[in-house]
Each structure stands twice: as structure tokens, then as C-alpha cells.
Amino acid sequence: MNIFEALRNDHDKQRSLVDALIETHGDSPNRQSLMDNLKLELEEHAKFEERYFYTPLMFDDLTHEKARHGIAEHHELDELIEQLEETDMSSSAWLVTAKKLHHLVHHHLAEEEHEIFQLAGKALSEEQKQSLAVKYNNAMN
């Protein structure tokens, strides 16, 4: 497995969670559970993706700007999660923010997979792609 496959596996989980989240209604146990799972998944993924994917990309001129942009989007996701936590789950404002989160998650993952992965494929050696996947997967488990 390489780093791209490892990250894509988690991206698929994130898509499923955020898709399910915006289909929930009111202050329900299901909405709370999905929110908790999504928050944990996004936090852990961002932490280790920044450490084992974006950090090596920061050192290459080809990928430096994209890495900075990806990390900035992680912070935007964190801010939306915080807004959701501060908003009553049964309010219409909560769903509006959840839909913003949904949009940004999908945008961010598509951008990573279609733009950043392409450049990173050129910047990282095959050995790096394998070793970063091992480090990332070990950290996530």
C-alpha cells in the first residue's frame, strides 16, 4: 500500500460520515453519534496526514503551495466543527453549517485526490510513498 491508497481509504470513510450526517434530523442520538465519529475521524486524519504527507511535501518546490493550502483547509474544517458544536443540533442553523462542512469535506478530498496526489506522485520516491503509508496507517490504528 502507498500513501495515496492509505489516505483514500480514510477519505472514503469521511465522505460516508459527512453524507450520512446531513441526512439526519433534529437533536437525535444518530446525529450526535455521526457528529462524534466524523469529528474524531477528521481530527485524527488531519493530524497524521499533515505529519506523514504534507510535511514531506513542504520541502519540495513542486508541492509546497499545495501542502500549505491543504493544511489551511484542515483549519477551516476545524472551525466548522467548532461552529457545529456551539449550535443547537435541532436548529436550522446547525443544518446550514453541516451542509457547509459537507461541501468543504467533499471539495477538500477531491482537491487532494485530483490535484495534490498528482503532484506528490512526482515529488515523492516510491520508497517514500510506501514508508509514509506504513507510518500513517500505524498512527491511525
Side-chain angles (χ1 to χ4, degrees):
M1 176 177 285
N2 65 37
I3 188 63
F4 309 117
E5 294 162 332
L7 294 174
R8 242 187 229 109
N9 287 340
D10 285 341
H11 288 179
D12 290 344
K13 287 182 212 164
Q14 293 165 25
R15 281 188 191 96
S16 294
L17 288 168
V18 78
D19 287 352
L21 184 68
I22 62 164
E23 297 301 323
T24 61
H25 302 283
D27 189 353
S28 65
N30 186 38
R31 180 175 272 184
Q32 187 63 57
S33 174
L34 283 166
M35 182 66 199
D36 292 344
N37 289 337
L38 179 62
K39 178 185 176 187
L40 181 63
E41 179 66 32
L42 290 174
E43 285 175 351
E44 293 297 296
H45 174 76
K47 177 171 51 176
F48 297 121
E49 183 177 60
E50 288 174 16
R51 188 174 301 165
Y52 298 116
F53 182 62
Y54 283 130
T55 296
L57 298 182
M58 295 291 276
F59 294 98
D60 193 295
D61 289 343
L62 180 66
T63 51
H64 180 81
E65 279 305 311
K66 288 288 187 185
R68 287 174 45 109
H69 178 74
I71 291 168
E73 284 189 348
H74 285 171
H75 293 292
E76 290 176 41
L77 291 167
D78 291 343
E79 289 171 3
L80 286 171
I81 293 282
E82 281 181 34
Q83 283 180 29
L84 285 173
E85 291 181 323
E86 294 168 1
T87 306
D88 181 350
M89 276 192 167
S90 59
S91 74
S92 59
W94 192 93
L95 189 56
V96 169
T97 304
K99 287 181 177 179
K100 287 180 190 172
L101 178 66
H102 179 270
H103 173 78
L104 184 56
V105 167
H106 278 272
H107 161 81
H108 176 69
L109 300 180
E111 194 170 56
E112 280 185 349
E113 292 171 358
H114 300 128
E115 295 177 28
I116 300 173
F117 284 12
Q118 310 312 313
L119 291 174
K122 296 173 185 169
L124 300 171
S125 70
E126 290 306 313
E127 183 182 319
Q128 283 176 302
K129 292 172 194 172
Q130 307 299 320
S131 69
L132 292 171
V134 169
K135 291 174 184 173
Y136 173 82
N137 282 329
N138 286 342
M140 285 295 287
N141 293 326

